[in-house]
Amino acid sequence: MNLEIALVQFAVAPSDPLQNLARMETFIQQAAENLAQLVVFPEDAVTGPLSGQTGFVQYAPQYLSAFQGLAVKYGVDLVPGTWSVSDGVAAYNTAYYINKDGSVGGVYRKINLWDSERALVTPGTAVSVFRTRHGVVGLAICWDLSFPALFQEAKALGAELVVVPAYWAFGAQGAPTEQMKGTELIDALCTARAFENDLLIAYCNATGTLHAEGVDAVLSGRSQIVHPTLGAQCRATANEEQILQCRI
């Protein structure tokens, strides 16, 4: 696999899809001008977390259509974070891989839900692995990173790269040691999932702060691309908005 990936460590505006969509296009354009072939955004990048996960479900088809258009416009593959999608019975935290021609290469419904998600969305049931023009790719979302079996199955299905959009945070009042342990955990999980399965891991987290609906948190950042034997090929060390780009 030979691929130029841009991870957009993005500050998501809670429950403001129009603002997020406009800013995401700006980052896609920048990454495309820098010759990225795949552009990845964090979990919940379009609607934000909490009530945003279910408050905009009716617009899910429009979000997908918008990103299909942006993939064609800028000539890049996209994993535009996640948003909730309903099948008419339940809503699922869903990630898409969109090819540069606008076609959908893969779809994944988050299996391992974080505690606060369980009242809002339904867990998925199937690992997602699919062929792209760059090679065989899988999708996972945030807390999935803590579950080795998902990545083992992705490898068994032929995955070479697993893309992981995330919205990973720690408490805003957390001690510095707690915050350090949070970023150390992300590093350790990305490294372990890559090494134990001989996979490339592209982990893209949100950044900034969340102060909404009684939640006071700082996003952990730490977006990174990890090679199974060479380790981190690039890693965000600052908790700030940026495009992190490298070739794998």
Side-chain angles (χ1 to χ4, degrees), residues 24-32 39 41 67 70 74 76 78:
M24 290 169 78
E25 178 173 4
T26 299
F27 280 112
I28 293 169
Q29 181 178 6
Q30 291 175 8
V39 185
F41 286 88
F67 286 114
L70 292 174
Y74 294 105
V76 294
L78 293 176

Side-chain angles (χ1 to χ4, degrees), residues 10-237:
F10 184 62
V12 182
S15 298
D16 196 342
L18 294 181
Q19 178 183 335
N20 291 326
L21 286 165
R23 297 188 65 244
M24 290 169 78
E25 178 173 4
T26 299
F27 280 112
I28 293 169
Q29 181 178 6
Q30 291 175 8
E33 289 172 350
N34 202 32
L35 304 181
Q37 297 167 295
L38 169 61
V39 185
V40 183
F41 286 88
E43 180 185 22
D44 299 331
V46 177
T47 65
L50 307 173
S51 62
Q53 281 200 347
T54 52
F56 302 92
V57 171
Q58 66 268 37
Y59 302 110
Q62 288 95 313
Y63 301 151
L64 177 58
S65 178
F67 286 114
Q68 288 175 295
L70 292 174
V72 173
K73 181 177 179 179
Y74 294 105
V76 294
D77 292 8
L78 293 176
V79 177
T82 77
W83 56 86
S84 292
V85 179
S86 174
D87 63 1
V89 177
Y92 302 88
N93 189 352
T94 306
Y96 293 92
Y97 187 105
I98 302 171
N99 297 307
K100 71 173 186 176
D101 64 1
S103 62
V104 175
V107 184
Y108 171 66
R109 294 171 169 175
K110 186 176 182 181
I111 294 173
N112 299 290
L113 302 180
W114 183 246
D115 290 351
S116 56
E117 285 185 289
R118 294 172 186 168
L120 301 173
V121 293
T122 299
T125 58
V127 172
S128 177
V129 173
F130 44 90
R131 183 166 294 279
T132 74
R133 62 194 173 103
H134 306 291
V136 183
V137 176
L139 291 169
I141 301 173
C142 199
W143 191 232
D144 283 328
L145 194 63
S146 299
F147 296 84
L150 187 153
F151 293 82
Q152 292 166 2
E153 185 173 348
K155 178 64 177 182
L157 293 171
E160 301 165 84
L161 163 70
V162 177
V163 179
V164 189
Y167 195 96
W168 196 303
F170 47 76
Q173 305 306 316
T177 53
E178 177 188 335
Q179 297 173 12
M180 181 180 69
K181 288 178 181 177
T183 56
E184 286 179 348
L185 177 59
I186 290 169
D187 292 349
L189 290 173
C190 288
T191 300
R193 297 298 87 87
F195 178 76
E196 68 197 3
N197 298 294
D198 193 28
L199 283 169
L200 292 155
I201 300 294
Y203 171 88
C204 185
N205 197 16
T207 190
T209 58
L210 175 64
H211 305 290
E213 301 176 44
V215 175
D216 187 24
V218 176
L219 278 300
S220 305
R222 213 64 178 178
S223 300
Q224 56 192 280
I225 296 173
V226 183
H227 186 280
T229 57
L230 301 177
Q233 301 301 284
C234 55
R235 176 181 284 149
T237 56

